[in-house]
Amino acid sequence: MASVRSVALKALSGPSWSYLVPRAQTLRVRAFTATMSPPSKAVVYEQHGPPDTVTRVIELPPVEVKENDVCVKMLAAPINPSDINRIEGVYPVRPQVPAVGGYEGVGEVHSVGSAVKGLSPGDWVIPSPPSSGTWQTYIVKDQDVWHKINKDSPMEYAATITVNPLTALKMLEEFVTLNSGDVIVQNGATSIVGQCIIQLAQYRGIHSINIIRDRAGSDEAREKLKNLGADEVFTESQLEVKNVKGLLGSLPEPALGFNCVGGNAASLVLKFLRQGGTMVTYGGMSKKPITVSTSSFIFKDLSLRGFWLQKWMGTDKAKECRSMIDYLLDRAREGKLKYEMELVPFNNFHSALDKALGKQGSQPKQVLTF
Amino acid sequence: MASVRSVALKALSGPSWSYLVPRAQTLRVRAFTATMSPPSKAVVYEQHGPPDTVTRVIELPPVEVKENDVCVKMLAAPINPSDINRIEGVYPVRPQVPAVGGYEGVGEVHSVGSAVKGLSPGDWVIPSPPSSGTWQTYIVKDQDVWHKINKDSPMEYAATITVNPLTALKMLEEFVTLNSGDVIVQNGATSIVGQCIIQLAQYRGIHSINIIRDRAGSDEAREKLKNLGADEVFTESQLEVKNVKGLLGSLPEPALGFNCVGGNAASLVLKFLRQGGTMVTYGGMSKKPITVSTSSFIFKDLSLRGFWLQKWMGTDKAKECRSMIDYLLDRAREGKLKYEMELVPFNNFHSALDKALGKQGSQPKQVLTF
């Protein structure tokens, strides 16, 4: 959520934002010649609704950098699907409006308050756990918000390391103890989380069975996933067989499955799972529910669970979260974790947003650069 | 499964069983004047199929009571739905045929082998974990099979204490730690497991929300469950409201739910569950699958599990199982655990079977007495 201070907004165009500017407070702060941030440009929405109509790029006045604060000049921040849902107001946690968009990103420390320890101008930091408001040029937040990362990290991976790769890593670790030689099965394998699961699993010697949609280009998608380390890639129609386990070859039956699609694609994950296996749902791209037979629970002893990164990170997991992020950035630096992104200058925010909204068909993840 | 010796069958009518009698072995045993059981009458099936056509009552010749064996004169054994499924061959574990029917029951020790410790003629015992073959007048099995119980136990409860009440108790203990004041929700509440859950929960100060079918007599069913200790009883149609939780009154939201129906009745259990709650499926009376939304897993963090007593007991749980059975028989003796049964002499097996098969509409559980 946008901090109170970052809502000291000055509208670029028209008077509609003027009521948001706490003039008296701003004047008082300035009277003490406190350290101030530079003015910032931000993507703000005043009400929930279609992101392309409710968001505006506006200029925010300088805010005070208090003794425990760090002022960060943002370098890059992605447009994730969940950012869009937050603006639409359909996400389970609705940011209070007016709010600045964005939830993760990477920046460089610009200035620090007098009591800040361990962070200096020039350091690279990410907000960790992430928090709303990364689509702006300068952010001032308490030092506890910021996690210092290795400056050798590729900037676009640092900007996107939490929402997708951390979901993949945490789901691989949270539900079932996997050892080298074990197998996981997933649908929606071409999603970024899906691609991260393939690569992070392979790094640990864990095999992956991957299910993708039937569509033009599925052969290319299969090749791409195999190049990332996928052991098997099947389209849904290839799995319309009596016994999907006959397709496992020499691989053991998977103990863990991931579902981000629902409907038939979820049923296919369940079919691959071994006795006592677990399926974790983290998305529902088909907008269809998950249907499970009674005997899957009783006689096959399957467990069905869900995972939501935002909730997990909200439960005092900052330390665990940060060491996992360091691990993931190490993999990205080694080239062992990769996915497609398109870097777009912040000034072109609305064209990046249109791409993220799917107006031009399937596009790589849009990452704003500042 | 029937032990090798109890398959020393002698047909009452016709020669079709004669190949099963290991004559040479029987003769050899008799030559040593070993301790022998009395002859036994048993319900046997030679092949899987409709229970009313494939079962026959036949006479079995005496079998040897070896040094570690106990010969038990059966007193009572129920006809459970799973017994019917085993005979039909539709149960996931298919008994090898020919087999003696029945899976639980209670008997009195008739004679013991020379090395048997802790069991004497006159003791009451149940096979624990239960095992196939209780529909016969005398059973000879290793002493480890038998659990000595309090002879003050009501015989019909001793005969039926494992399959239904132990399922109820174990499910209350296995998945979620419940404390006094907590709430569970269940469908199929009029089933015997459902009735046991109500009573065992109430004994621990745990409230129950109960869902029953819409049908003639649902008012009587509601009253009956309330008399057993149910806090709330709703028919499915009463729950066709926007917010079922508004019906909870002062009760906290349930953390644990039980489903033995599937379809809409399972969805209603899920609706009542609190954030992070667990639904355990142990039956599927509607023969409909369970359908769950993606957001139930991700944002409501629900877990869906299954429970199958036979599998749980198969994993070295004999000791835990027996102390739970003693606990349950204590409750039955106190009148804190009750359900309807009809006692039927073993000679009337086929009329009891017809009732158990539902040929005369809904009937109390049929318990054979020997």
Side-chain angles (χ1 to χ4, degrees):
Chain A
M1 220 166 295
S3 77
V4 174
R5 277 167 292 148
S6 70
V7 187
L9 308 170
K10 187 183 168 191
L12 271 183
S13 55
S16 66
W17 291 94
S18 57
Y19 66 90
L20 290 165
V21 183
R23 289 170 199 283
Q25 192 191 335
T26 307
L27 288 173
R28 183 176 56 75
V29 165
R30 283 183 175 160
F32 286 95
T33 63
T35 308
M36 302 298 288
S37 75
S40 183
K41 257 196 203 174
V43 174
V44 182
Y45 52 105
E46 207 179 359
Q47 61 192 44
H48 294 291
D52 47 357
T53 62
V54 300
T55 57
R56 296 163 66 191
V57 179
I58 65 163
E59 199 168 279
L60 302 176
V63 296
E64 184 186 355
V65 182
K66 292 186 179 155
E67 59 177 356
N68 285 304
D69 282 348
V70 176
C71 173
V72 173
K73 180 186 183 312
M74 290 303 287
L75 298 170
I79 305 179
N80 285 314
S82 49
D83 297 325
I84 290 170
N85 297 149
R86 280 190 189 87
I87 298 170
E88 291 168 335
V90 300
Y91 210 62
V93 178
R94 274 166 75 109
Q96 237 188 318
V97 289
V100 176
Y103 187 66
E104 66 174 337
V106 64
E108 187 178 275
V109 174
H110 174 265
S111 59
V112 299
S114 57
V116 169
K117 296 215 168 84
L119 288 176
S120 317
D123 286 347
W124 276 22
V125 291
I126 65 171
S128 178
S131 53
S132 285
T134 56
W135 295 345
Q136 56 182 323
T137 51
Y138 288 91
I139 304 179
V140 177
K141 283 189 173 170
D142 190 278
Q143 60 180 331
D144 289 346
V145 168
W146 302 105
H147 173 51
K148 180 177 168 179
I149 61 161
N150 188 329
K151 277 185 87 164
D152 292 336
S153 306
M155 183 186 71
E156 66 276 24
Y157 284 90
T160 57
I161 204 69
T162 307
V163 170
N164 288 323
L166 185 58
T167 293
L169 180 59
K170 187 62 196 169
M171 291 200 304
L172 280 168
E173 294 184 346
E174 177 80 357
F175 299 94
V176 172
T177 303
L178 296 172
N179 298 307
S180 179
D182 286 344
V183 181
I184 64 97
V185 56
Q186 66 170 341
N187 60 31
T190 57
S191 70
I192 292 190
V193 173
Q195 293 180 48
C196 291
I197 285 173
I198 291 169
Q199 296 169 83
L200 295 170
Q202 199 208 24
Y203 191 80
R204 297 170 179 206
I206 297 160
H207 305 286
S208 64
I209 311 288
N210 299 275
I211 304 169
I212 63 176
R213 277 179 300 158
D214 290 277
R215 57 169 174 184
S218 59
D219 284 346
E220 291 75 14
R222 175 184 290 109
E223 277 319 296
K224 193 180 144 191
L225 297 184
K226 288 219 164 190
N227 285 336
L228 290 178
D231 292 82
E232 297 289 349
V233 182
F234 300 108
T235 61
E236 289 188 37
S237 66
Q238 286 182 301
L239 298 173
E240 282 168 13
V241 294
K242 205 158 184 183
N243 176 22
V244 298
K245 293 194 179 172
L247 301 169
L248 280 173
S250 61
L251 292 176
E253 294 173 277
L256 179 61
F258 301 112
N259 164 48
C260 67
V261 181
N264 179 57
S267 301
L268 291 172
V269 169
L270 293 174
K271 278 188 189 170
F272 270 112
L273 286 180
R274 77 169 184 216
Q275 175 86 21
T278 297
M279 181 173 85
V280 179
T281 290
Y282 69 96
M285 290 195 287
S286 73
K287 300 194 190 299
K288 289 181 189 153
I290 296 141
T291 301
V292 197
S293 70
T294 295
S295 65
S296 295
F297 288 116
I298 304 180
F299 302 125
K300 204 176 164 187
D301 193 23
L302 297 185
S303 290
L304 269 64
R305 307 283 302 274
F307 182 74
W308 185 23
L309 187 75
Q310 186 168 343
K311 178 169 179 287
W312 170 69
M313 288 186 308
T315 51
D316 199 23
K317 293 289 189 299
K319 202 173 164 190
E320 182 182 354
C321 181
R322 290 178 178 191
S323 77
M324 292 172 85
I325 279 166
D326 292 341
Y327 173 92
L328 290 165
L329 287 174
D330 287 347
R331 298 295 83 74
R333 213 163 33 247
E334 293 165 358
K336 302 280 189 194
L337 182 68
K338 50 193 177 189
Y339 39 86
E340 279 174 38
M341 289 175 272
E342 182 178 351
L343 304 185
V344 184
F346 185 46
N347 284 338
N348 298 345
F349 169 74
H350 276 99
S351 70
L353 178 64
D354 285 349
K355 283 190 180 175
L357 288 168
K359 289 188 186 175
Q360 295 168 42
S362 179
Q363 296 285 333
K365 181 179 287 296
Q366 301 291 300
V367 178
L368 306 169
T369 56
F370 298 87
Chain B
M1 221 165 291
S3 76
V4 173
R5 276 167 292 146
S6 70
V7 186
L9 307 170
K10 186 182 167 190
L12 271 182
S13 56
S16 67
W17 290 94
S18 57
Y19 67 88
L20 291 166
V21 183
R23 288 170 201 281
Q25 191 190 338
T26 307
L27 288 173
R28 182 176 56 75
V29 165
R30 282 183 178 157
F32 286 94
T33 64
T35 307
M36 302 298 287
S37 75
S40 182
K41 258 196 202 171
V43 174
V44 182
Y45 52 105
E46 207 180 357
Q47 60 192 42
H48 294 291
D52 47 356
T53 62
V54 299
T55 56
R56 295 163 67 192
V57 180
I58 65 162
E59 199 169 277
L60 303 176
V63 295
E64 184 186 354
V65 181
K66 292 187 179 154
E67 59 176 357
N68 284 303
D69 283 348
V70 175
C71 173
V72 172
K73 180 187 183 310
M74 290 303 285
L75 297 170
I79 304 179
N80 286 314
S82 50
D83 296 326
I84 290 169
N85 296 149
R86 280 190 189 86
I87 298 170
E88 291 168 337
V90 299
Y91 210 61
V93 178
R94 275 166 75 109
Q96 236 187 320
V97 288
V100 176
Y103 187 65
E104 65 174 338
V106 63
E108 187 178 276
V109 173
H110 175 264
S111 60
V112 299
S114 57
V116 169
K117 295 215 168 85
L119 288 176
S120 316
D123 286 346
W124 276 22
V125 290
I126 65 171
S128 179
S131 53
S132 284
T134 56
W135 294 346
Q136 58 183 322
T137 52
Y138 289 92
I139 304 179
V140 177
K141 284 189 173 169
D142 189 276
Q143 59 181 331
D144 289 346
V145 168
W146 302 105
H147 174 50
K148 181 176 167 179
I149 61 162
N150 188 329
K151 276 185 87 163
D152 291 337
S153 305
M155 182 186 72
E156 67 276 24
Y157 285 89
T160 58
I161 204 68
T162 307
V163 171
N164 288 324
L166 184 59
T167 293
L169 180 59
K170 186 62 196 168
M171 291 200 305
L172 279 168
E173 294 184 347
E174 177 79 358
F175 298 94
V176 172
T177 303
L178 295 172
N179 298 307
S180 180
D182 286 344
V183 181
I184 63 96
V185 55
Q186 66 169 340
N187 60 30
T190 56
S191 70
I192 292 190
V193 173
Q195 294 180 45
C196 291
I197 285 173
I198 291 169
Q199 297 169 83
L200 295 170
Q202 198 207 26
Y203 190 80
R204 297 169 178 208
I206 297 161
H207 304 287
S208 64
I209 312 286
N210 299 276
I211 304 169
I212 63 176
R213 276 179 300 158
D214 290 277
R215 56 169 175 184
S218 60
D219 285 346
E220 290 76 13
R222 175 183 291 110
E223 278 318 296
K224 192 181 145 190
L225 297 185
K226 287 220 164 191
N227 286 336
L228 289 180
D231 292 82
E232 297 290 348
V233 182
F234 300 108
T235 61
E236 288 188 37
S237 67
Q238 286 182 301
L239 298 174
E240 283 168 12
V241 295
K242 204 158 184 186
N243 176 22
V244 298
K245 293 195 178 171
L247 300 168
L248 280 173
S250 60
L251 291 177
E253 294 172 276
L256 179 61
F258 300 112
N259 163 48
C260 67
V261 181
N264 179 56
S267 301
L268 292 171
V269 168
L270 293 173
K271 278 189 188 170
F272 269 112
L273 286 180
R274 78 170 183 215
Q275 175 85 22
T278 297
M279 181 172 85
V280 180
T281 290
Y282 69 96
M285 290 194 286
S286 75
K287 299 193 191 301
K288 288 180 188 152
I290 297 141
T291 302
V292 197
S293 71
T294 295
S295 64
S296 295
F297 288 117
I298 304 180
F299 302 125
K300 204 175 164 188
D301 193 23
L302 297 185
S303 290
L304 269 64
R305 308 283 303 273
F307 183 73
W308 185 23
L309 187 75
Q310 186 169 343
K311 177 167 179 289
W312 170 69
M313 288 186 307
T315 51
D316 199 23
K317 292 291 189 298
K319 203 172 163 191
E320 182 182 353
C321 181
R322 289 177 178 190
S323 78
M324 292 173 84
I325 279 166
D326 292 342
Y327 172 93
L328 290 165
L329 287 174
D330 287 348
R331 299 294 84 74
R333 212 160 37 245
E334 292 165 358
K336 302 279 189 196
L337 181 68
K338 50 194 178 188
Y339 41 85
E340 279 175 40
M341 289 175 271
E342 182 178 350
L343 303 185
V344 184
F346 185 46
N347 284 339
N348 298 343
F349 169 75
H350 276 99
S351 70
L353 178 64
D354 284 349
K355 284 190 179 176
L357 288 169
K359 290 187 186 175
Q360 295 167 41
S362 180
Q363 295 284 333
K365 182 180 286 294
Q366 301 291 301
V367 178
L368 306 168
T369 56
F370 298 85

